[in-house]
Amino acid sequence: MPKHSETRRLPYTPEQLFDLVADVARYPEFLPWVAAVRVRSNDATTMVADLVVGFKALRETFTSRVTKERPNRIVVDYLDGPLEYLTNDWAFRPDGAGGTLVDFSVAFAFRSRIFEALAGQVFDRALRRMIGAFEARAASLYSADASAGTTGISRSSAQSAA
């Protein structure tokens, strides 16, 4: 089962990063492989959304519940789709210097062992691309100079097992 956890320091406020991650409806604008989003319900603490994720001719729909604890935490729990399970956790902590420490973790398992093995082969590369997309989006939204947008500093742990 692929798993990943890391901590990054970013030069934005917890509120800004919370807003970026919580704005699921805009994911198709900047996240690779997210083709469409349908928000079924959304309030201050909970959202249910469908994400259509695809690569070339392959497309799958995932339904997730997003629990929001503004501005400190967002937890994504998988409800329906092609996976066995998916959980994703974002925590936002002030770094004491005007930025934020972002603790991020994701774990998932496919129902099919074949897909699980294939995912394990590309998991790290795909995850780096998606994390980079969030960082680039933050830079474009919140930096006066978008080229000075991110300073990811530490990775606490990363594991990928098929």
Side-chain angles (χ1 to χ4, degrees):
M1 134 191 56
K3 298 187 222 189
H4 179 84
S5 296
E6 73 178 74
T7 297
R8 297 226 176 177
R9 178 176 289 130
L10 298 174
Y12 315 108
T13 67
E15 292 81 5
Q16 288 172 317
L17 294 169
F18 178 94
D19 289 344
L20 169 65
V21 174
D23 194 4
V24 174
R26 294 203 180 266
Y27 283 9
E29 295 176 19
F30 67 95
L31 272 181
W33 309 297
V34 177
V37 171
R38 185 183 93 183
V39 176
R40 293 185 184 190
S41 63
N42 190 17
D43 62 34
T45 60
T46 307
M47 173 192 307
V48 175
D50 300 326
L51 271 70
V52 178
V53 178
F55 180 73
K56 297 188 181 183
L58 299 172
R59 292 211 185 272
E60 291 287 350
T61 300
F62 298 79
T63 303
S64 297
R65 179 181 39 253
V66 180
T67 304
K68 302 176 280 185
E69 299 171 20
R70 184 170 180 75
N72 303 313
R73 190 167 183 214
I74 295 176
V75 177
V76 179
D77 290 307
Y78 178 77
L79 298 177
D80 190 37
L83 299 174
E84 179 82 22
Y85 74 88
L86 166 72
T87 186
N88 182 340
D89 194 340
W90 300 79
F92 310 100
R93 302 176 285 136
D95 70 358
T100 300
L101 293 170
V102 180
D103 300 312
F104 171 77
S105 66
V106 61
F108 66 93
F110 282 93
R111 289 189 178 123
S112 161
R113 291 199 185 268
I114 294 169
F115 284 135
E116 183 89 17
L118 291 171
Q121 294 174 11
V122 299
F123 178 69
D124 289 335
R125 192 171 14 148
L127 189 64
R128 281 193 303 274
R129 188 164 173 206
M130 293 189 80
I131 290 169
F134 273 103
E135 290 180 336
R137 179 69 168 185
S140 71
L141 292 175
Y142 306 127
S143 290
D145 176 6
S147 67
T150 63
T151 55
I153 58 160
S154 66
R155 175 174 284 175
S156 58
S157 69
Q159 175 182 3
S160 177

